[in-house]
Amino acid sequence: GQQLNQSPQSMFIQEGEDVSMNCTSSSIFNTWLWYKQDPGEGPVLLIALYKAGELTSNGRLTAQFGITRKDSFLNISASIPSDVGIYFCAGLPEEYGNKLVFGAGTILRVKS
Amino acid sequence: NAGVMQNPRHLVRRRGQEARLRCSPMKGHSHVYWYRQLPEEGLKFMVYLQKENIIDESGMPKERFSAEFPKEGPSILRIQQVVRGDSAAYFCASSNLGPGEAFFGQGTRLTVV
């Protein structure tokens, strides 16, 4: 089935730094989504991308839908302590559009 | 995601018992998705339902697992004769436009002892 490779697995950064994470796949996706999950909670949708090349911002977050439709990245600018959590990419494969496929997550830890 | 309600939040079952997980979608949403998450992992698709219909159950084990979304009432994920390997967090998501606009509930954490 479709696989999403998300990297890095974890990051430990200084408050105020910018953060970048990405997801890649060998399959084509129609939609890319980025979620954040806090401990004990469900994922919360941060950004949704629907077109190849689309660049979308949500506050300090910016995400892009790769031109090849096989990748996406998420940037967080000027990180703060509340950015701590697990970030997941998810995508709707072109072949099986019913199922969101999730990456394994990027754990973000911020030094204050 | 505040509108998707899952209960219970935590469920403990002995091996061989049945587990029933409930999901009330957001008002107006007719699409429900169930996902399973193991510690330190992403979410794995299990089943996609619309009112009274199973659309895609390809991620759900054929045995012991079943799901329904009746005309009235919440969606139910049922696990019969639970085993230790069923211990996980189970998340429900709902939408009215398909999975791209889905909102997640807070999950049910199942522990099998």
Side-chain angles (χ1 to χ4, degrees), chain B residues 13-61:
Chain B
R13 283 288 177 267
R14 289 199 175 95
R15 279 177 296 170
Q17 290 185 319
E18 179 179 282
R20 278 186 173 224
L21 288 62
R22 293 174 185 77
C23 169
S24 296
M26 284 180 72
K27 189 175 180 182
H29 285 189
S30 60
H31 303 247
V32 165
Y33 309 83
W34 285 93
Y35 286 82
R36 170 186 156 116
Q37 185 180 35
L38 295 172
E40 311 288 320
E41 294 188 10
L43 284 77
K44 297 285 195 299
F45 169 82
M46 296 183 73
V47 62
Y48 164 35
L49 310 104
Q50 291 185 24
K51 280 287 186 183
E52 300 184 272
N53 290 307
I54 296 175
I55 307 301
D56 184 344
E57 56 183 347
S58 59
M60 198 161 66

